[in-house]
Each structure stands twice: as C-alpha cells, then as structure tokens.
Amino acid sequence: MKKVLELKNVHTYYGKIHALKGINLEVFEGEIVTLIGANGAGKTTTLRTISGMIHPKEGEVLFEGVAVQHLPAHLIVKRGIGHVPEGRRIFPRLTVEENLEIGAYLENDRHKVEERKAEVFELFPRLAERRRQLGGTLSGGEQQMLAIGRALMQDPRILLMDEPSMGLAPVLVDLIFETIAELNKRGKTILLVEQNALKALEIAHRGYVLQTGEITLSGPAKELAENEEVKRAYLGG
Amino acid sequence: MLEILIQLLPSVLLEGLILGFVYAMIALGYTMVYGVLELINFAHSEIFMAGAVAGAEVFILLKGVIGNPFLLLALAILIGGAVAAIVAILVERLAYRPLRKRGTTNRLVPLITAIGVSFFLQDLVRLIEGLWHNAFYRRYPSFSVFEATYTLPNWIGVLTILATLWLAFWVIAYFGDWLVRLFSKKERAAGRTLSIVAAGLTLVFAFFYRHVIFADLGMTIQMKSILVIVVSLAMLYGLNWLVHKTKLGIAIRAVAQDAQTASLMGIDPDVIVSRTFLIGGFLGGVAGVLFGLLYTLVHPYVGFIPGIKAFTAAVLGGIGNITGAAVGGLVLGMLEMLGGTYLTFLTNGAMGTEYKDILAFLILIFILLFRPQGIIGQQLGEKV
Ligand SMILES: Nc1ncnc2c1ncn2[C@@H]1O[C@H](COP(=O)(O)OP(=O)(O)OP(=O)(O)O)[C@@H](O)[C@H]1O
Ligand SMILES: [Mg+2]
C-alpha cells in the first residue's frame, strides 16, 4: 500500500509553548485514520502543521514521500491536501455556491469544477437547495456540510478533517460520519480528528491517541476501541 | 431667494454628481485595500496623483501626433490607470509587505509608513517632472469638443427638484415624528407613512411653486462631464462584474473575510493583495485623469484634498464596503456642491465656496463620532 502522509518526529511550537513533542504518524492510501485526544492535546495543531498553517521547528512532514513542512499553506494544498478546519471557517459573505467555487480555486477546467459541484450537491442535497444563500446564514450542520463540500471541490488526495461533528445534533452527527465512510468507500484517504472517539473508531481503520503533544497509543481502530485505557479516558467506559 | 435656491438645485446636483464619480473611484481604492488588509492606505491619494500627472503627460506628448481627442483621452486613461496601478503594486510590495512579513501588529506602524510613502511619492514625481520639464505644474490641454455644452431636457431638472424636495420632506417628516415621540408614547411611524406624507407635502409645495419648478431652467452639461460620467459608470460596472462574477473577485472577497482559510483553498493571499492594489490603483489613476480633464491643472500635491475627501466617502459608505464607497462618493460630491453653493447664498457671500472642504471634513468627523460603520456598514471585510 502506498504511504500518502508521514510525520516524522514533528515538533511544533506556539512561541514558547511546545505543542507537539515529536509526533510520528502515517496514513496509507485508502485509509481512514483517526486522531483522538482530550482538549488541548494538540490534534488541531497536528493538522495545521500538516497543511502548512504553522511550521514545525523540527521533524518532517512527508506527503507522497516529499518533505513539505517548509512550504506555505497554499502550495501544500496545491499538492493535494484538503483541510476541513476546526470550526468550519465558512466564508460568511460568500454564497454557498461561491464557497464551493473558491474550493476549486486551483482547478482551471470549468468542466471538472461543474462535475465536482454536482457530486457535492448529490452528497449534500441540502446545499443544492441553498446555493444562493450566504454561507453565514446557514445552520451549523449545513455549514459543516459546506466545509466538507468545499474541501472536496479540490479533489484532494488526502482529506484532513478537524472535529466535523462538533456541536451538531445527534442525527447530523450520524449523517456526517456516514458521509465520511461513504467518501472513503469512494476512494478518499482521510485523517480524521475527533472528540467523539467512539464513532471515530467505529469507521476508522487505524487510530492514534494524542496526549499533551505526544502519541501515547496507536493501532488498528478495533483494538483501540477495546483498550482499557482508551475506554476509560475517551469512551466514557 | 427660495426661488433661486430651487432653480439652482438641478445644476448644482449635477456638478456634485460628476465630482462624486471621481470621489467614488478613488474611494474604491481605499475601501478595497482596507477590506483585504485592514489598512488605510493613505498613499492612495498619491497613486491618484500619479495617474493624473501621467495622463497629463500623455495628453501633452501625443497631442500633436493623435488628432482625435477621444482617442487621446482613451490612451491617457489607459496609461494613467496603468501607471497608477504599477505605483500601487510597488508601494505594496516595497513598503507594506515587508511590514506584514515581519508580523507587525501595531496599527500605527503601517499608518505612519503610508504617510511616509505619500511624501516620498510627492517628491519623487516632483523630481521627475522637475528634471524632465524643469516645472512640475502640468496642464491638461483643452479641446473644443470637450468644452462644448449641451442643453438637457427640462424634465430632468423638474424630476431632480421633485425628488430632492421629496427627500427633504422625508427627512423633515422623520425628525417631526421623532420630536412627537419625544413627548408622547406614540409608536414609531412606518417608513411607508413617512414616504406618503413626504409625497403629499411635495405635491402641495410643487403646486404653490409651480412657476419656479416648471420654469425653463436651461440646464446644460459639458462634453467632458458626460465623458466623466460615462467612463466612471463603465469602470464601476466593470469592477462590480469583476468582484462578483470572476474567480479573482471571489478570491478577493474570500481573503477579505478570512485570509488564513483562503490559503487552505490554495489561494496565495500575497497575490490577491497585490491584485487588489492593482485594481484599486487602476481605478485611482483613471480618476486622476478624469480629475485632470475637469480641473486641468495637476501637480505632485494635487492628490491630497481629493484623496482625503474620497477617504471620507469611503468612511461614509462604510469602509471595506464596495457599494458603500461608490454611494458615499456620489453623496459626498453632491453634499459638497450643495453646501458650497448654498452657503454663499445663505451668508450673502460672507462664506464662499471654499468652505465646502470644511463641510466634507465635518461630515468625516460626525460619521466617525456617531456611525463609524458608515451608512451601509462594512461588508467586504467583516472578519470572522
Ligand atoms: N494560537 C495559539 N497560541 C498559543 N497556544 C496555542 C495556540 N493554539 C493552540 N495552542 C496551544 O497548543 C496546545 C494544543 O492545542 P490544539 O488546538 O492543537 O488542541 P486540540 O487537541 O485541537 O484541542 P481541542 O480538542 O480543544 O480542539 C494547547 O495547549 C493550546 O493551548
Ligand atoms: Mg482542536
């Protein structure tokens, strides 16, 4: 299997705060890998380090075997990393359709853009109904759909998702997880950050547990879900 | 007295509108840059000046070569706009970007830089013009086709007067309602009620002053004013299309709303910032050429007053808001002309038109005090 993404001994700082203390992580083609951990563990920082919004002080981020940790975010995206950021970060004063269009900023083939848009609308019919509505006026769930759709418009080779189920009603949480599983079935490689560890481990192939900037456990999702320590800390068991 | 004031109204408003278009185009440069960077680019008045001076050079150099004044104007507009755009891009690249990259968070630093850049550009243009012509006052040549005047049909004047009266009565009705509410528990009057009351008052007034309103006013317009209006409308239309219908436009708005997330879409924010300076600079340069066409004399210091007026217009419309800048420019132009003309009348000539500048700055101060978000409010930016 092809290794899509690899983090080697990544150290990231916010000023003097040592947020990531030597992260090692791999994602293979076709996998859903989940990264779970408590608040402030460094999950978001890991994703931000991968997509170049913050640069590590030490270590390497390899995307398809090439070190990208020194590149600015827009060039990393260009290589094929899509990022659904924490808190959705929809452009509030762009319409739903414009949000999607801007997702495909790097694609110059109009035909492909329309094709992908149709795919997103098929995945989330709700967005099709609201295509002329401003992003800021959508409900939380719709905004999450839009954030995912926007990232899909890039047709990325790996999709980083930061807590896509945060703040959503249970029905919508289920819908989002179903969608993630469906995307994976269609061939997307996904690195999923979640607070909802139970659900995440259900759909993931493998998982990593992050604790105050360090990976403390990793393995197949099923094994993690059975692990006593994980159960106690993250599954409320 | 009232008769004269009413009969003057259409031509004064028309003058104001023409000036307003120039302000609007400059104001767009301030507002767009503020939208993407939250920076007041005070050097924008010098970018406008660069366009005005470049346009003058085109006119003077090519007057003997190109016979057709319209073609000449088209060239001056293109070159004036291009020169201003290049200056704007260079200013961003050499002055603002290094500050941004250094992560300066203090708002005062870019502001003072902008003022420094202003002085630098003024003296740079003065130096170039001085070395080149041994003089830095340049005059736009006059062409008889541009000076030609045309009489406008009377109904335009009548409609203008009626519309202005209606607006004035609406404002009076609004404050009347407010006064009544001060002393009673009456509900706030609906906008429609106010409109109908204003319309009624207008009709009554128009009936008693019919000999004034429907008199033959003989309103005229000069060819160059028509050109200013046509070119400005074309530019505003073009900008609107660019901002709303093109990929670049969506990207500019995305960066204005959330630059970090925009970079996750593969957008290089630096490129977008640069393009924004290009567009704003081009509009400013074109405004400079039109300004030269209207007022003929240009020089390295010509940017200051129109620049600060246009800044006022941008604030008036809500800085960061594109539509607001255009509307603010037109409103400011008309208010200024009204104030300038009527003040002279009302004070029996004691206060001349030179006080119109004070009016613009009073407006600026009042808006900043009471409604800093402008009439329409911020739109392009609206950070999340
Ligand atoms: N911009 C910042 N400046 C300083 N410290 C930060 C910043 N962002 C995050 N941190 C710190 O880095 C650590 C990791 O934060 P991070 O946001 O990656 O956690 P997380 O696992 O995503 O948490 P959550 O589940 O709450 O989203 C925390 O201690 C946090 O306080
Ligand atoms: Mg987080």
Side-chain angles (χ1 to χ4, degrees), chain A residues 39-40 42-45 86 162-163 166 193 195:
Chain A
N39 289 112
K43 305 180 296 293
T44 298
T45 307
E86 186 174 39
D162 200 340
E163 302 202 31
M166 187 171 55
V193 160
Q195 293 261 343

Side-chain angles (χ1 to χ4, degrees), chain A residues 7-14 20 22-23 45-46 48-62 68-71 76:
Chain A
L7 271 66
K8 279 188 184 165
N9 189 32
V10 166
H11 289 263
T12 302
Y13 290 77
Y14 292 104
L20 298 185
I23 300 284
T45 307
T46 306
R48 287 166 61 88
T49 305
I50 296 169
S51 58
M53 295 171 86
I54 181 163
H55 298 287
K57 211 171 211 170
E58 210 189 307
E60 278 186 313
V61 177
L62 300 168
V68 296
Q69 72 275 0
H70 54 278
L71 292 177
I76 292 186

